[in-house]
């Protein structure tokens, strides 16, 4: 059923996105640009993502810790590329009480520096490696244009920082982490992704290699959904992170960092949402199944019947009974805008017939089923729900990546709100020129080079490197 307060995606995709956030009560705006209050509905999504990933991290041997909020500017300046990359985004503390500071304090835009200082103190021998650590926190980065989840001044994330004895170990772990992200997005969030490496222009400040997963939104724009960085010895040398190797020689460690932020919630909205609101992936919905009682106030046995269904399902699913005097239309519309994957409706007639009606959020189809088929019908519905969400998004991705051979084709594809796939080995200046002319950036270099060498569409030079160009959030 239509929600008149949600803007149509075709009418204005940006306004649709904002209206879904508002109607689903995900955040509340504040008087400070880029700072939002997470409403319970929004924070529950992040908690589910965080808790799921945290289990996966711990299974990899990663330990959680917490780093200080403030960083001395003098520490930032030890790694020049890092500070130059973040300089326009830094929040600084210039005074404490009535005392002005000679060494300014930076509110963390990321915590590489504290992790480096921690590693320096913890690592003495090759036997201390690898050292795998993570923190769940928020960071501050000044943003000119802000939008909830996608670009916030303050955003929440995890940052995993690890130290290794060799570059090979660091790179292998970074790729392993990339696979973890990709599997999480595809299996838990039903979002298909493209895995790749960033070009020099797009790498994280201070990284020797940045791996990325890119996802396609319904408006054709790309969203960088998570990144995995190989930092080489770029931080180990200035911060003196050394270890004694098996030959009793001092060596500098190799470090990595990895991050996924609350912008992934924006991806969930823009990949799966529709003109009626959120469509939540089943695995991260706080309430996976709502059981809505009709006329339970007039017939208490209806509630008892709903409770019987609830008690059977709660063994395997997160479910909730809704017993309200509000009309069925209102209750279903509320559940729809919040993205509840499955709604079960039970009333006096169902009690008599020993049936229930279930409605899947992804297709809105209603099915009436006998109560003795409850487990099998829900199991099948959940499987179909997950597959449908993923397959719709995967079809959109596959149908909108177009191989191009020259600049005119690139411009046409980008103007058509699609992604361009091409042979490309251009320079950072070439990328900048392409961005100025089309608005598109190099999203990633595909990890597997082409077995065939062809001419770069822009430089005309031979290359087997394939790159994705797209407009992006």
């Amino acid at each position: 059923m239509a929600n008149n307060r949600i803007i149509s995606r075709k009418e204005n995709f940006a306004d649709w996105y904002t209206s879904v956030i508002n109607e689903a009560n995900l955040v509340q705006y504040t008087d400070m640009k880029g700072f939002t209050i997470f409403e319970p509905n929004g924070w529950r999504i992040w908690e589910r993502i965080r808790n799921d990933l945290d289990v996966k991290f711990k299974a990899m041997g990663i330990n959680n810790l917490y780093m200080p909020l403030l960083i001395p500017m003098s520490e930032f300046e030890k790694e020049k590329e890092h500070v130059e990359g973040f300089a326009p985004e830094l929040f600084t503390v210039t005074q404490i009480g009535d005392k002005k500071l000679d060494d300014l304090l930076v509110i963390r835009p990321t915590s590489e520096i504290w992790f480096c200082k921690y590693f320096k103190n913890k690592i003495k021998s090759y036997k201390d490696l690898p050292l795998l650590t993570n923190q769940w926190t928020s960071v501050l980065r000044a943003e000119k244009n802000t939008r909830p989840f996608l670009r916030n001044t303050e955003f929440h994330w995890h940052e995993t920082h690890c130290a290794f004895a060799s570059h090979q170990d660091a790179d292998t772990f970074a790729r392993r982490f990339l696979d973890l992200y990709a599997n999480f997005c595809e299996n838990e969030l039903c979002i298909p992704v493209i895995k790749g490496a960033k070009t020099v222009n797009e790498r994280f400040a201070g990284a020797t290699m940045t791996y990325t997963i890119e996802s396609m939104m319904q408006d054709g724009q790309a969203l960088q959904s998570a990144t995995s960085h190989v930092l080489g010895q770029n931080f180990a040398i200035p911060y003196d992170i050394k270890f004694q190797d098996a030959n009793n020689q001092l060596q500098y460690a190799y470090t990595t960092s990895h991050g996924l932020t609350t912008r992934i919630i924006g991806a969930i909205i823009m990949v799966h949402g529709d003109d009626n609101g959120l469509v939540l992936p089943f695995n991260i919905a706080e309430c996976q199944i709502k059981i809505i009682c009709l006329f339970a106030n007039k017939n208490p046995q209806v509630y008892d019947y709903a409770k019987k269904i609830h008690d059977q399902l709660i063994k395997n699913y997160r479910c909730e009974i809704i017993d309200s005097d509000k009309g069925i239309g209102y209750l279903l519309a509320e559940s729809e805008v919040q993205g509840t994957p499955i709604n079960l409706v039970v009333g006096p007639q169902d009690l008599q017939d020993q049936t229930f009606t279930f409605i899947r959020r992804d297709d809105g189809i209603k099915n009436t089923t006998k109560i003795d088929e409850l487990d099998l019908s829900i199991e099948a519905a959940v499987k179909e729900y997950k597959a449908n969400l993923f397959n719709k998004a995967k079809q959109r991705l596959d149908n909108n990546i177009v191989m191009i051979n020259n600049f005119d084709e690139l411009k046409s594809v980008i103007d058509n709100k699609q992604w361009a796939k091409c042979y490309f080995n251009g320079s950072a200046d070439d990328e900048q020129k392409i961005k100025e002319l089309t608005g598109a950036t190099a999203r990633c270099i595909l990890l597997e080079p082409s077995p065939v060498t062809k001419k770069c569409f822009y430089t005309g030079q031979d290359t087997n490197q394939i790159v994705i160009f797209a407009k992006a959030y």
Side-chain angles (χ1 to χ4, degrees):
M1 68 184 64
N3 186 318
N4 295 327
R5 293 189 299 272
I6 294 179
I7 307 298
S8 166
R9 287 164 292 174
K10 290 183 179 179
E11 181 181 337
N12 188 310
F13 192 81
D15 288 349
W16 165 80
Y17 175 79
T18 302
S19 64
V20 168
I21 289 171
N22 293 339
E23 290 303 307
N25 294 318
L26 299 183
V27 301
Q28 187 180 111
Y29 298 93
T30 71
D31 294 333
M32 296 190 298
K33 181 181 178 182
F35 292 84
T36 57
I37 298 168
F38 272 74
E39 295 259 26
N41 285 351
W43 193 248
R44 288 187 195 107
I45 297 172
W46 179 239
E47 281 184 319
R48 284 288 163 196
I49 292 169
R50 184 188 66 192
N51 294 344
D52 190 313
L53 283 173
D54 199 57
V55 170
K56 291 176 170 56
F57 295 165
K58 287 172 180 171
M60 294 172 70
I62 298 169
N63 291 305
N64 285 337
L65 43 63
Y66 182 80
M67 292 295 173
L69 173 69
L70 300 176
I71 305 166
M73 178 63 82
S74 58
E75 292 293 338
F76 248 99
E77 291 174 344
K78 288 181 180 178
E79 206 291 308
K80 297 297 184 184
E81 186 176 347
H82 189 59
V83 72
E84 288 172 6
F86 277 108
E89 303 175 349
L90 295 179
F91 281 76
T92 56
V93 177
T94 61
Q95 184 170 316
I96 297 177
D98 60 358
K99 181 183 178 183
K100 290 189 177 180
L101 302 176
D102 294 326
D103 188 1
L104 303 184
L105 298 174
V106 174
I107 300 174
R108 61 176 171 229
T110 177
S111 295
E112 258 82 8
I113 290 165
W114 281 126
F115 277 95
C116 286
K117 293 178 79 67
Y118 177 76
F119 288 165
K120 174 179 169 55
N121 292 326
K122 293 292 289 186
I123 298 169
K124 304 301 179 187
S125 162
Y126 71 95
K127 296 178 182 179
D128 298 323
L129 298 171
L131 182 56
L132 314 178
T133 59
N134 176 72
Q135 73 168 338
W136 293 94
T137 189
S138 67
V139 295
L140 263 64
R141 297 181 188 174
E143 291 285 356
K144 293 180 181 178
N145 301 306
T146 61
R147 187 179 299 181
F149 303 119
L150 300 179
R151 290 208 175 272
N152 287 67
T153 302
E154 180 187 27
F155 60 85
H156 297 264
W157 71 344
H158 86 88
E159 50 179 316
T160 298
H161 293 264
C162 305
F164 301 87
S166 71
H167 180 274
Q168 183 61 52
D169 288 346
D171 187 74
T172 298
F173 189 82
R175 283 180 173 250
R176 181 184 172 197
F177 223 98
L178 188 75
D179 289 340
L180 181 151
Y181 283 142
N183 291 336
F184 174 76
C185 283
E186 296 196 338
N187 297 329
E188 308 299 327
L189 305 184
C190 303
I191 297 176
V193 299
I194 298 291
K195 294 189 292 185
K198 288 293 188 182
T199 60
V200 174
N201 257 14
E202 299 291 326
R203 281 180 196 162
F204 173 73
T208 62
M209 178 63 72
T210 290
Y211 297 110
T212 180
I213 53 172
E214 303 285 327
S215 51
M216 180 182 285
M217 307 299 101
Q218 291 181 52
D219 65 347
Q221 292 202 66
L223 187 74
Q224 177 182 290
S225 297
T227 47
S228 181
H229 311 287
V230 182
L231 305 177
Q233 295 177 324
N234 288 347
F235 287 86
I237 292 173
Y239 293 97
D240 201 32
I241 306 170
K242 294 178 181 176
F243 67 96
Q244 193 171 52
D245 66 15
N247 297 317
N248 294 322
Q249 299 295 311
L250 281 178
Q251 305 289 348
Y252 285 106
Y254 293 82
T255 62
T256 65
S257 68
H258 321 270
L260 176 144
T261 80
T262 39
R263 75 167 13 203
I264 199 67
I265 299 176
I268 292 168
I269 297 168
M270 291 193 289
V271 171
H272 299 310
D274 61 24
D275 288 351
N276 295 321
L278 288 176
V279 180
L280 289 178
F282 192 84
N283 288 8
I284 59 103
E286 178 67 20
C287 177
Q288 296 170 318
I289 303 172
K290 277 187 181 177
I291 306 164
I292 300 175
C293 300
L294 301 181
F295 311 113
N297 57 334
K298 297 179 181 179
N299 187 345
Q301 290 180 317
V302 171
Y303 181 85
D304 294 338
Y305 183 65
K307 185 68 165 58
K308 177 183 176 182
I309 293 173
H310 173 275
D311 291 348
Q312 189 168 336
L313 292 177
I314 198 67
K315 300 170 187 175
N316 298 306
Y317 308 106
R318 297 186 292 275
C319 48
E320 176 185 353
I321 298 176
I322 305 299
D323 179 16
S324 172
D325 293 336
K326 295 174 182 176
I328 182 63
Y330 176 90
L331 294 174
L332 286 175
E334 181 181 53
S335 184
E336 190 171 48
V337 75
Q338 293 174 356
T340 305
I342 295 174
N343 286 291
L344 304 185
V345 181
V346 295
Q349 190 62 49
D350 294 292
L351 177 61
Q352 181 177 325
D353 297 341
Q354 289 293 287
T355 59
F356 64 92
T357 299
F358 70 85
I359 308 167
R360 269 176 33 197
R361 176 64 183 87
D362 59 319
D363 59 19
I365 296 174
K366 297 181 180 180
N367 290 284
T368 300
T369 307
K370 290 289 186 180
I371 189 66
D372 58 8
E373 299 173 2
L374 176 64
D375 288 337
L376 289 177
S377 62
I378 295 298
E379 184 180 341
V382 169
K383 185 176 180 179
E384 291 170 6
Y385 181 91
K386 292 179 181 179
N388 189 38
L389 256 60
F390 180 82
N391 290 337
K392 281 172 64 177
K394 185 69 165 63
Q395 185 177 29
R396 181 189 308 122
L397 178 68
D398 292 343
N399 290 347
N400 287 284
I401 298 180
V402 181
M403 195 76 193
I404 62 99
N405 298 295
N406 57 59
F407 184 80
D408 287 341
E409 289 180 0
L410 171 74
K411 192 172 186 308
S412 176
V413 166
I414 298 301
D415 288 345
N416 200 37
K417 299 181 178 180
Q418 296 174 301
W419 292 10
K421 183 179 180 181
C422 54
Y423 284 82
F424 179 74
N425 68 348
S427 66
D429 288 341
D430 292 333
E431 285 185 48
Q432 184 59 34
K433 189 65 175 178
I434 290 169
K435 182 178 180 180
E436 291 170 1
L437 294 172
T438 68
T441 54
R443 301 316 306 156
C444 64
I445 305 164
L446 298 190
L447 295 179
E448 296 299 327
S450 171
V452 178
T453 297
K454 291 189 177 182
K455 299 290 184 185
C456 167
F457 88 96
Y458 195 77
T459 68
Q461 299 171 353
D462 288 342
T463 184
N464 65 348
Q465 179 174 276
I466 297 180
V467 176
I468 299 290
F469 279 87
K471 289 185 177 179
Y473 284 98

